[in-house]
């Protein structure tokens, strides 16, 4: 275990103000575990908080520890924790509800009004050497599952939730708009769930090259000057018809509109990416053709499925990892993610001191 006085932590103070500082090691509550953090992935939302200081109504008003895609090793257990013990390797589901409201009781805890989610204001994240978290939201990793794969269960769970919301199943014809990390995990989940054909689009060819490696049946670089009608026609030609499931992982108004326009009558359009708070959509088109529009907010009850997919070998998330940094290099890691340096897809920050855990 690292020196007890060393709890180096990445703290976001405001726009373009990310600092490394020492913080006290937390004491776990009776239902929590203290985790010696191992690896934390950088998410687009982390970058958005750094650049904009907010996402929608979630505003950074005080210093906030960043990071929420993570895995760690149990260093101490609370008195009521029975299913974990010191030394267990775990993936951390970063959000949990109040446990008493109607949403939590019905299993839809991601909709809890009092949700506590790592690195979402006002709550701290877990890019730190020691972190306390509810034990029932920590998932023990099989020995053959790496800590990096454990951290990737977070974005993978978004893909699982999106595909579940879309009712992806055997033979589904799936259109995925956006080939960033969330689009790519949605792709591999859709294929694992039995989708017959998956077409994924993006503005960048290098992302689509990765999508091909991950099993995309068709890829399509969206021309910047193409009209909506031309895009719909091109998508239908590539898929041999209209998709019955469309999943927008971009969040742009253009892709939100395309989600409706390209989807088969009676099909489902799922909105995963979050962009502007208000956009203009062709709702009459959706109503007249009974295209269901469904939202996705994070995930719930999806971590066990994501872990099963990885542990069984049905999905391979390792290809998403393109860069490794130590926590001392956090600023460089964020720069790499933010600007897509060297084709960055998923950047991993290794938290323990270099003499203990140096990935390079």
């Amino acid at each position: 275990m690292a020196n007890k006085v060393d709890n180096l932590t990445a703290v976001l103070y405001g726009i373009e103000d990310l600092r490394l500082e020492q913080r006290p090691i937390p004491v776990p509550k009776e239902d929590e575990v203290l985790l010696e953090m191992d690896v934390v992935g950088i998410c687009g939302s982390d970058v958005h908080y750094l650049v904009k200081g907010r996402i929608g109504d979630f505003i950074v008003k005080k210093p906030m520890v960043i990071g929420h895609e993570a895995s760690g090793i149990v260093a101490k257990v609370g008195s009521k924790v029975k299913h974990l013990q010191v030394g267990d390797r775990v993936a951390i589901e970063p959000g949990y509800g109040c446990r008493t409201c109607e949403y939590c009781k019905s299993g839809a805890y991601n909709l809890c009004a009092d949700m506590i989610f790592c690195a979402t204001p006002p709550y701290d994240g877990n890019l730190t050497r020691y972190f306390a978290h509810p034990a029932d939201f920590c998932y023990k990793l099989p020995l053959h599952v790496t800590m990096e794969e454990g951290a990737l269960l977070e974005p993978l769970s978004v893909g699982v939730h999106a595909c579940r919301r879309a009712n992806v199943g055997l033979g589904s014809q799936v259109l995925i708009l956006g080939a960033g990390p969330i689009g790519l995990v949605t792709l591999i989940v859709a294929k694992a769930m039995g989708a017959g054909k998956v077409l994924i689009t993006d503005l960048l060819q290098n992302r689509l090259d990765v999508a091909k490696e991950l099993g995309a049946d068709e890829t399509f670089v969206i021309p910047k000057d193409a009209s909506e009608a031309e895009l719909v026609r091109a998508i239908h030609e590539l898929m041999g018809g209209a998709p019955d499931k469309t999943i927008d992982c971009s969040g742009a108004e253009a892709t939100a509109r395309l989600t409706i326009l390209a989807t088969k009558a009676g099909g489902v359009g799922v909105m995963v990416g979050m962009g502007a708070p208000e956009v203009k959509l062709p709702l009459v088109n959706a109503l007249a053709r009974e295209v269901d529009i469904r939202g996705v907010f994070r995930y719930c009850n999806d971590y066990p499925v994501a872990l099963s997919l990885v542990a069984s070998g049905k999905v391979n998330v390792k290809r998403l990892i393109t860069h490794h940094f130590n926590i001392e290099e956090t600023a460089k890691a964020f720069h790499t993610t933010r600007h897509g340096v060297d084709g960055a897809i998923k950047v991993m920050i290794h938290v323990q001191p270099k003499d203990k855990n140096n990935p390079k």
Side-chain angles (χ1 to χ4, degrees):
M1 185 179 295
N3 189 322
K4 286 285 189 179
V5 301
D6 184 1
N7 190 31
L8 191 63
T9 304
V11 184
L12 181 64
Y13 275 76
I15 295 175
E16 306 289 2
D17 189 4
L18 182 60
R19 311 177 194 177
L20 290 175
E21 63 185 36
Q22 290 290 342
R23 287 205 165 188
I25 293 176
V27 177
K29 299 175 184 176
E30 60 184 11
D31 61 346
E32 293 182 336
V33 289
L34 177 66
L35 297 167
E36 185 180 71
M37 299 300 295
D38 188 277
V39 63
V40 180
I42 299 180
C43 174
S45 64
D46 296 321
V47 175
H48 203 81
Y49 280 122
L50 173 65
V51 176
K52 302 292 185 180
R54 66 185 297 164
I55 295 178
D57 293 332
F58 297 106
I59 304 170
V60 178
K61 297 180 178 178
K62 65 181 182 66
M64 177 185 76
V65 180
I66 204 74
H68 63 271
E69 300 180 1
S71 62
I73 299 172
V74 176
K76 186 180 295 185
V77 298
S79 60
K80 290 188 176 181
V81 177
K82 305 300 181 185
H83 72 291
L84 294 174
Q85 59 186 7
V86 173
D88 282 346
R89 303 157 63 251
V90 301
I92 304 163
E93 181 171 354
Y96 53 96
C98 70
R99 306 174 195 268
T100 59
C101 71
E102 62 175 305
Y103 295 109
C104 287
K105 287 183 175 181
S106 68
Y109 57 85
N110 62 321
L111 303 180
C112 174
D114 296 318
M115 164 72 74
I116 294 174
F117 197 92
C118 289
T120 296
Y123 304 109
D124 284 331
N126 49 33
L127 185 45
T128 177
R129 287 194 168 138
Y130 288 93
F131 178 71
H133 199 67
D136 58 328
F137 279 81
C138 294
Y139 298 85
K140 187 175 178 179
L141 299 175
L143 291 177
H144 68 282
V145 175
T146 68
M147 299 298 272
E148 288 87 354
E149 289 174 310
L152 285 171
L153 293 188
E154 200 281 335
L156 186 62
S157 292
V158 177
V160 171
H161 197 61
C163 288
R164 282 175 152 179
R165 290 283 286 161
N167 294 329
V168 173
L170 295 174
S172 293
Q173 304 293 297
V174 182
L175 168 63
I176 298 173
L177 301 170
I182 295 302
L184 293 175
V185 293
T186 301
L187 159 66
I188 59 180
V189 172
K191 296 296 291 185
M193 287 184 170
K197 179 178 280 188
V198 179
L199 165 65
I200 186 166
T201 72
D202 202 90
L203 297 172
L204 302 175
Q205 182 62 53
N206 66 299
R207 289 181 169 184
L208 296 178
D209 291 340
V210 176
K212 266 294 188 182
E213 293 180 36
L214 294 173
D217 298 288
E218 298 285 352
T219 62
F220 178 50
V221 177
I222 295 182
K224 294 182 180 180
D225 57 349
S227 68
E228 284 184 336
E230 290 170 334
L231 291 175
V232 170
R233 185 164 53 251
I235 287 168
H236 290 178
E237 288 177 357
L238 284 169
M239 297 199 73
D244 53 285
K245 323 286 186 187
T246 298
I247 304 175
D248 176 22
C249 298
S250 169
E253 179 175 308
T255 53
R257 292 177 59 85
L258 198 56
T259 297
I260 293 172
L261 297 171
T263 302
K264 182 178 180 179
V268 179
V270 174
M271 309 291 189
V272 182
M274 290 187 177
E278 294 186 12
V279 297
K280 185 177 180 180
L281 296 176
L283 280 181
V284 171
N285 181 288
L287 299 177
R289 298 189 305 113
E290 293 196 349
V291 174
D292 288 355
I293 302 171
R294 300 177 184 175
V296 161
F297 188 58
R298 297 172 180 152
Y299 38 74
C300 65
N301 306 304
D302 297 302
Y303 252 69
V305 175
L307 177 55
S308 177
L309 288 172
V310 171
S312 66
K314 289 192 177 298
V315 305
N316 179 12
V317 292
K318 292 180 180 178
R319 177 59 184 88
L320 300 175
I321 303 172
T322 54
H323 293 74
H324 295 270
F325 295 94
N326 290 296
I327 189 172
E328 293 87 352
E329 302 169 301
T330 292
K332 186 176 180 181
F334 269 80
H335 174 83
T336 300
T337 300
R338 177 177 177 178
H339 298 288
V341 177
D342 295 328
I345 297 175
K346 182 56 64 177
V347 174
M348 292 291 185
I349 298 178
H350 296 260
V351 178
Q352 291 306 309
K354 292 182 181 180
D355 58 354
K356 177 178 179 179
N357 180 14
N358 190 344
K360 294 184 176 179

